[in-house]
Amino acid sequence: MPNQSRTFSHLISGLNSTFVAKFNYGRGIFEHQWTSSHHPDGTRTGLGPLYNGTGCAQCHVRDGRGQPPGPEAPEISGFVMQLGVATVASAALTPDPNYGWQLQDRAIDGVRPEGRVVVNYTSVPTRLGEETVQLRRPSYDVVDLAYGPLASGIRFGPRVAPPVFGLGYVSAIDPADIIANADDNDLDGDGISGRPNFVTDPVSGKAQLGRFGWKASEPSIRAQAQRAAAIDIGLSSPDHLSPYGDCMATQAICDADKTGKPEP
Ligand code: HEC
């Protein structure tokens, strides 16, 4: 009888011992609950100062998906609010000058979290075949802002954590196959449209096909993981340009935290 709670967490069969060891090392990091650098136990520390979760598995519960907040689950679990400012000069979004790329709703002791997301739902009657069903349309508010106003023209990107199993297979798809299947305007009429997203690989600095995240914003699992470490948990990594997570120049608390050295 397989362990039900681990249904989606098994490694594929047939791996040699080197890959089994890598898998187990990765799982250890994924399931680790990080603490702040000021924590007395001193091991695997570096949480924050601003963060959304204390570990990967907190949002990707049992390697599965997160949950949007709602009346039945007011505590946010595996949901984040990404931020972006549209500038006239370029189509690309830039981070909010005070809050960065994401609203961190948690912080280590002595630091104020950036704010809180409130979600309200309106019931919308919708035809589904023969039936009329009630669907919920969310609207988002960010409250209790601790570091000044959000930029004018701020755009919210609410995101629920997707499942993370099977992504090795997604990595293995040839980019040419993804590009060949692009169908921006659903010309083949199968009800599915999509176009490839090209992004800059933070490691190589080159344009690459995006594959991960709801909008294919990250080119590799490595890039997605280092972004998650920095922005969701506040951990630095060799790849991430800012060793201090999603802190902005206006957030003096992050400067204070820089006395701690970046996590290796
Ligand atoms: C605070 C919640 C949170 C934490 C903590 C978190 N994630 Fe995520 N994760 C998300 C969200 C939300 C997305 C979707 C992001 C997007 O679409 O831009 C995501 C996306 C991903 C994806 C892409 C999945 C796909 O199908 O494309 C991977 C891989 C991933 N996370 C790995 C990690 C790892 C590794 C860690 C720990 C270092 C981690 N995550 C920590 C919320 C979280």
Side-chain angles (χ1 to χ4, degrees):
M1 194 52 194
N3 179 344
Q4 294 295 315
S5 71
R6 291 249 167 230
T7 304
F8 296 114
S9 306
H10 298 291
L11 72 180
I12 51 173
S13 55
L15 294 183
N16 67 26
S17 59
T18 309
F19 282 104
V20 171
K22 275 192 171 184
F23 178 90
N24 286 328
Y25 180 71
R27 169 180 277 175
I29 291 184
F30 198 86
E31 293 185 348
H32 185 70
Q33 292 292 306
W34 298 83
T35 51
S36 87
S37 0
H38 312 297
H39 196 275
D41 95 356
T43 53
R44 280 202 182 165
T45 57
L47 177 69
L50 300 164
Y51 64 94
N52 292 95
T54 51
C56 315
Q58 195 179 39
C59 292
H60 302 282
V61 180
R62 281 179 247 121
D63 295 347
R65 63 192 281 276
Q67 212 187 354
E72 67 288 350
E75 279 298 313
I76 288 176
S77 158
F79 169 92
V80 300
M81 184 61 88
Q82 295 179 357
L83 306 170
V85 185
T87 55
V88 188
S90 121
L93 295 181
T94 56
D96 180 88
N98 289 338
Y99 294 91
W101 290 111
Q102 189 165 295
L103 188 89
Q104 278 83 28
D105 56 357
R106 298 185 205 177
I108 60 170
D109 281 355
V111 178
R112 290 180 70 193
E114 291 187 324
R116 231 165 20 93
V117 180
V118 178
V119 190
N120 288 305
Y121 293 95
T122 322
S123 210
V124 184
T126 307
R127 287 296 288 174
L128 199 64
E130 301 290 289
E131 270 181 278
T132 300
V133 295
Q134 298 293 325
L135 295 183
R136 297 187 311 172
R137 176 181 296 143
S139 65
Y140 302 94
D141 256 333
V142 170
V143 299
D144 298 343
L145 287 172
Y147 300 89
L150 287 163
S152 69
I154 190 80
R155 302 230 188 123
F156 291 146
R159 300 278 187 273
V160 171
V164 292
F165 51 86
L167 298 185
Y169 292 115
V170 179
S171 302
I173 303 171
D174 192 315
D177 288 337
I178 294 179
I179 293 164
N181 277 297
D183 185 13
D184 199 358
N185 296 310
D186 192 20
L187 294 180
D188 66 7
D190 68 354
I192 303 169
S193 60
R195 60 176 178 276
N197 189 21
F198 287 92
V199 296
T200 307
D201 185 335
V203 182
S204 67
K206 297 196 180 127
Q208 288 217 356
L209 187 67
R211 285 170 197 254
F212 300 102
W214 289 108
K215 301 213 169 198
S217 49
E218 294 295 337
S220 63
I221 293 178
R222 182 181 174 117
Q224 176 79 48
Q226 60 86 17
R227 184 189 155 91
I231 299 208
D232 296 337
I233 309 178
L235 300 174
S236 57
S237 68
D239 294 347
H240 203 267
L241 294 178
S242 157
Y244 305 106
D246 196 28
C247 276
M248 303 305 282
T250 53
Q251 292 175 308
I253 175 57
C254 299
D255 289 331
D257 202 62
K258 284 179 191 171
T259 50
K261 61 178 184 345
E263 295 78 37

